[in-house]
Amino acid sequence: MNWLFDVFIAPFLEFAFMQKALLGASMLSLSAGPVGVFLMLRRMSLTGDAMAHAILPGAAAGFLMFGLEIVPMTIGGLAAGVVVALAAGAVSRFTIQKEDASMAAFYLIALSVGVVMVSMRGSSIDLMHVLFGTVLALNTDALVLIGLVAATTMLTLAVFWRALVAECLDPLFLRSVSRLGSPVHFIFLGLVVLNLVAGFQALGTLLSVGLMVLPAVSARFWARRVETMALLAVAIGMASSISGLLLSYHLSLPSGPAMILSAGVAYAVSVVAGRRGLLITLRPRPSHRTA
């Protein structure tokens, strides 16, 4: 039994950086999991990925002016995410281009601009930090930011839960019976940007959407109710965070990618063995023919 303790428990008891990484990843899972479920139900998962890249120029601007400081990079990332989301929406509204195409164009431009901006001042290590994060280097300021985002997300979801569910299932009906239709949509986009900025502190711009989308799409194979999917997404996110951190510690792997890879394994298992996975859908059905 000692080896079980050494493998699974000791790293989190002996090292403060592992404890902070676990706390930050757990709060991210608690916050981003339910948001990812609504993102998936709205068929906006790729939009979330695009918005994750869109925060890079703002974060890079904060980095150029203040270095790797939490507050300037966070404010810059929030501003850039909002600007790109509004710009892509305006292009799709007033031109012939669809929202997915305009979002893809803006996120590619934003990603390239952000990389160039970081490269102007920083080293390749700084660029890797911005792109892939450093969950094992989370400090108190980053944990406070992630905690505030998680608390804000939980409170907002509690207040607007029914409206968010209705807006996913039948947005036209919600707008016909309530004035919350359009405000709820923008509130939800705000939650997406907030959680992407919080995830950026730990996982970088390229992977921050991972804990939002992968646990949510995995939960879809196990549950039908939105509430159950949200709880499962949180559980899968936390399990992926723990396993990823342990893999990073024992095998000297990059921590952020290890966490997202663990979430990817959970997704693969769900696709095959979930209650609505391949083993169930492809199982031969009994014949009702009589001799």
Side-chain angles (χ1 to χ4, degrees):
M1 296 297 293
N2 287 336
W3 71 270
L4 289 175
F5 178 85
D6 292 337
V7 170
F8 295 104
I9 306 298
F12 298 112
L13 291 181
E14 295 178 4
F15 300 101
F17 68 88
M18 289 290 287
Q19 296 170 10
K20 290 183 177 181
L22 178 60
L23 177 60
S26 298
M27 290 191 294
L28 281 175
S29 300
L30 179 65
S31 177
V35 174
V37 169
F38 285 111
L39 202 65
M40 173 195 62
L41 293 177
R42 291 163 176 255
R43 299 181 180 179
M44 293 175 61
S45 298
L46 289 178
T47 300
D49 184 53
M51 292 175 68
H53 301 330
I55 69 176
L56 182 55
F63 170 77
L64 284 177
M65 291 185 286
F66 299 97
L68 293 172
E69 294 290 334
I70 297 295
V71 175
M73 293 180 71
T74 298
I75 295 174
L78 280 172
V82 171
V83 168
V84 169
L86 292 177
V91 169
S92 64
R93 183 180 180 88
F94 298 110
T95 71
I96 62 171
Q97 194 168 63
K98 298 297 183 181
E99 187 173 11
D100 60 337
S102 61
M103 184 65 76
F106 275 97
Y107 108 73
L108 288 170
I109 295 169
L111 179 62
S112 58
V113 168
V115 171
V116 170
M117 291 174 68
V118 175
S119 301
M120 288 171 59
R121 172 178 170 178
S123 64
S124 59
I125 296 177
D126 293 323
L127 181 61
M128 293 294 287
H129 171 86
V130 173
L131 293 179
F132 296 103
T134 51
V135 67
L136 293 180
L138 289 177
N139 55 24
T140 302
D141 291 339
L143 291 176
V144 169
L145 171 66
I146 295 172
L148 288 174
V149 170
T152 301
T153 301
M154 292 295 100
L155 179 60
T156 305
L157 289 177
V159 173
F160 294 101
W161 181 268
R162 294 183 63 183
L164 284 167
V165 173
E167 218 258 336
C168 284
L169 300 178
D170 196 341
L172 294 179
F173 172 76
L174 178 63
R175 292 172 187 173
S176 66
V177 300
S178 172
R179 296 180 179 179
L180 288 176
S182 295
V184 162
H185 179 70
F186 288 106
I187 288 171
F188 172 72
L189 290 180
L191 289 180
V192 173
V193 174
L194 274 177
N195 280 273
L196 289 174
V197 170
F200 160 77
Q201 306 299 334
L203 300 169
T205 56
L206 294 186
L207 297 178
S208 61
V209 74
L211 279 182
M212 186 180 295
V213 171
L214 282 172
V217 296
S218 301
R220 188 73 173 90
F221 287 98
W222 298 96
R224 294 180 181 272
R225 293 180 58 85
V226 179
E227 295 85 353
T228 309
M229 275 189 276
L231 292 174
L232 279 175
V234 171
I236 293 171
M238 288 186 175
S240 300
S241 299
I242 294 171
S243 59
L245 289 172
L246 289 173
L247 286 173
S248 172
Y249 176 81
H250 291 295
L251 301 180
S252 299
L253 299 176
S255 52
M259 290 166 55
I260 303 306
L261 182 59
S262 298
V265 171
Y267 173 70
V269 171
S270 300
V271 169
V272 175
R275 293 176 59 186
R276 306 171 70 182
L278 292 175
L279 291 181
I280 299 298
T281 57
L282 298 180
R283 183 175 59 186
R285 301 185 181 276
S287 176
H288 295 287
R289 294 180 181 178
T290 57

